[in-house]
Structures are given as C-alpha cells and as structure tokens.
Amino acid sequence: MKKAKMKRNFIGICIAIIVATLFFPAVGMGQKPFEILVVGDSHISGQGLKNDNKFYNLVRDWVQGEVFGHSRKVNLKVKSHAGSRIKLHPDELRSMHKVGDDINKFHYDEANISSPDITTQLDVARSEYERPESVDLIMLSGCITDVLVADIINPFYPERKLRERIRRFCGESMAGLLEHATTTFPNAQVVVVGYFPIASSQSDVKTMARYFLKIISFPRDLQFVFTNPLSRQFLKILRNKIAKRSRVWIEESNREIKDAIARHNAGSGRPMAFFVESPIRPESSYATKDPLLWEIDKNHVPNDETYVERLAGCAKVFGEMKYQHYGRLSRRMCELSSVAHPNVKGSQAFADAIKTVLKSSVFNREENIGNLQKF
C-alpha cells in the first residue's frame, strides 16, 4: 500500500513538472523576443564609453530585467556610429564616389565619418531582420553632424545661418527620417534622443583651451600664453559667446525635433515617435564643476574609457579611407572625438530619461505591454 502511494506521488510530481515545462513558458519566454534597434550618430552610439556603460545597453538591461522580469528575451541590434549624418550631403557623396570609398561600409564605430548615413543604417538593419514588423522599438539620434558642431560653437558663423541649418536638418530631415523608420519597421515605436548643451558660462576656460590647443598640437609648455590671467579675460568673452551659441543650439534643435515628431504622429494617426529631452543642463556641460561630459584632462588627453582603443581604431580607418572630412586633422579629430560627449554619469542620466519616456509612452498601454509588468 505504501509503495503504491509513493508510486502515485512520483507520477504526480512528474506530471506537474511536464505541465510546468509545457505551459508556463508560454506566459514569458514563449513570447517572441522584444526587438530593439539603435541607429544614429556618436551621441546614441556612446562615444568614449565601454559597452556596458552605453545608455542603450542600460535601457536594454532595464527592459529585460525590470519590465519583463527576465521572462522575455530582449534582442539589441546596433547600427549607429560616430559622425553619421541623416543622409550624406551631395558634395560629400560626390567626393567619396570620386576617390572610390565605399559609402555603405561600416568602419570602427568611434571613427567620426559620415557614412553609412542613418538612412542607410535603417536599410541595412532591414535586410538583417527576417520580418521587419518584428522590430518593437527604435532608439535614434541625428542632425548635429548635419548642422556641424564647428558651426554651432563658432561665434563668427552667422546665427541666422545656424538657425536655418537647424531648421533644415533637425526639422525637415528628421521628419523624413522618422517617416523612413516607421515605414521600414511598421510596428516599431521610435524614441528620438535629444542633444545636450555643449558648454555654458560656467565652463572653465583653461579646460576649454586645452581642447582647442590639443587639436593643433600646440606645445604644452607654451600654453600659458593662452591661459595666463590676462589671456583668460579674453577667453572668458569667447567662452560666453560659445555658451550663447550652445543655448541657441539646444533651444532650436529641441523645438525642431519636437515639431517633426508632432507632425509625424499627426500624419500617422497615432503616437509612434517620442522625444527624450536631455537631462544634462548647462551647469553640467563641458568643463563645469560637475561635468556629465568627457573632457581633456590635466594630462592633456581625453578622460574617456576608450581612448587607447580609439587611437588604434582611428589610425586603421583613416589609413584605409581616401576621403577625409577634416583633411589633415581627420585622424586627430577622431582621436579626440569623445570630448563633449556624455561620460559614465551622463550616460546613466540619459538612460534614466529614456526609461521615463518609455514608461509613460511605450509600456503604459495594455495593447503595447501584453503580459508586461505594470508600472
């Protein structure tokens, strides 16, 4: 009798295990993977950051762990790279074709080159997905490399022209990019990550000077010519002009990107794109007391996490490419390209800002979240 009872118990346990194995995965791991695609420029690709500290990886880990409770797989495909433009500009396209460079070739991702452009990144990603409708979320940034950072911070470049370029690229070109993204991936919702103040009136002029002098390899021992008390008074005037330009850039680019998103959503009949405003404020911009951006440190090298790796990567890329956007300074600009990009703390701040938007827009509606954890 006792043996028969033990046998029944054993059979019952086996049946329970089989039922759990067959049916419980359907609640979580049996769902299709949640697909995230990242496209854009150096901002979203995390210039100077180790892979684990890039904010798209922080967001992916959050979706996997906190949103899904590890019950559903989250796949991440990254096509973004430094320097990428929304579309190659005609003069640049002609120049690259003339010298025989491959505009569709992906290079070392921290080498700041315009190609493949963001539109091409989307097309290449499309070819790698078996079903484009499987993509759930696209995270992107774009337009600063079209406007040109040099024109943004140059106080002698006409402000009227700067505003025109921001309207053209952060408004019109961004609207076209959003249309292409959601047409290519019809089920995807798009998060556009906004830019941040480059500098402010609180930026230290000596730290700012180190960057510009590093570009031209000005001897360290002679830099006192530019950083002595008298010269610093002139540099403060220049710093304040750069800070003003930075404010124009942030205000105008935010407005244009938001308008592009609003027009896109109105035309779609439903919210498909969302804006993430920068959590980095002027008081945490370049060379401030508590910076959230990489800097040139007192040793006169960038203080990011990938500088040594970037030295080798830049040398390889610009040894292969014939067209070089910055001419003779292309390799040097590549080596210094982490400067004024979000550092580890800045990346975490952006990840938190993206999470907030995702909570309120993507993961808050029943039709979007299915069996997701409720917030």
Side-chain angles (χ1 to χ4, degrees), residues 143-159 161-163 165-166 170 195-199 241-250 253:
C143 83
I144 192 171
T145 52
D146 294 278
V147 177
L148 297 177
V149 175
D151 289 341
I152 293 171
I153 65 173
N154 180 4
F156 305 106
Y157 184 78
E159 186 175 314
K161 289 186 177 181
L162 175 61
R163 290 177 183 272
R165 293 180 68 83
I166 295 172
C170 299
Y195 294 100
F196 44 86
I198 299 169
K241 289 182 178 294
I242 292 174
K244 180 184 176 184
R245 301 283 292 210
S246 185
R247 288 196 300 274
V248 170
W249 157 244
I250 289 303
S253 65

Side-chain angles (χ1 to χ4, degrees), residues 256-356:
E256 291 293 344
I257 294 172
K258 287 178 181 178
D259 285 350
I261 289 173
R263 293 196 305 272
H264 180 79
N265 287 341
S268 301
R270 61 188 179 95
M272 297 182 69
F274 308 92
F275 182 65
V276 177
E277 190 166 337
S278 170
I280 298 178
R281 305 305 178 200
E283 59 270 21
S284 296
S285 60
Y286 185 76
T288 54
K289 290 183 178 179
D290 186 24
L292 295 181
L293 307 178
W294 298 122
E295 301 177 340
I296 296 288
D297 64 18
K298 293 181 180 179
N299 294 323
H300 292 255
V301 296
N303 63 352
D304 64 274
E305 299 181 307
T306 61
Y307 177 60
V308 174
E309 170 194 314
R310 196 164 58 254
L311 291 177
C314 292
K316 182 177 186 298
V317 170
F318 289 102
E320 295 173 348
M321 289 192 65
K322 299 181 180 65
Y323 174 78
Q324 302 192 6
H325 179 74
Y326 295 102
R328 294 181 178 181
L329 287 176
S330 290
R331 180 170 167 182
R332 174 57 58 86
M333 295 301 291
C334 179
E335 293 170 354
L336 303 178
S337 59
S338 66
V339 174
H341 283 82
N343 58 23
V344 174
K345 288 172 61 178
S347 180
Q348 182 63 63
F350 266 102
D352 291 340
I354 294 169
K355 292 175 193 177
T356 298

Side-chain angles (χ1 to χ4, degrees), residues 4 8-9 12 20 37 49 77 94 106 136 140 165 167 191 197 208 210 218 231-232 243-244 271 332 341 350-351 354:
R8 287 196 301 272
N9 289 342
L37 171 62
L49 292 161
K77 184 185 291 292
R94 285 192 297 269
F106 283 82
D136 300 284
L140 69 84
R165 293 180 68 83
R167 178 188 56 78
V191 168
M208 292 180 72
R210 280 201 297 265
F218 194 84
S231 297
R232 283 205 297 272
K244 180 184 176 184
R332 174 57 58 86
H341 283 82
F350 266 102
I354 294 169

Side-chain angles (χ1 to χ4, degrees), residues 35-47:
E35 300 286 349
I36 301 176
L37 171 62
V38 179
V39 297
D41 53 26
S42 60
H43 177 28
I44 202 160
S45 65
Q47 196 79 338

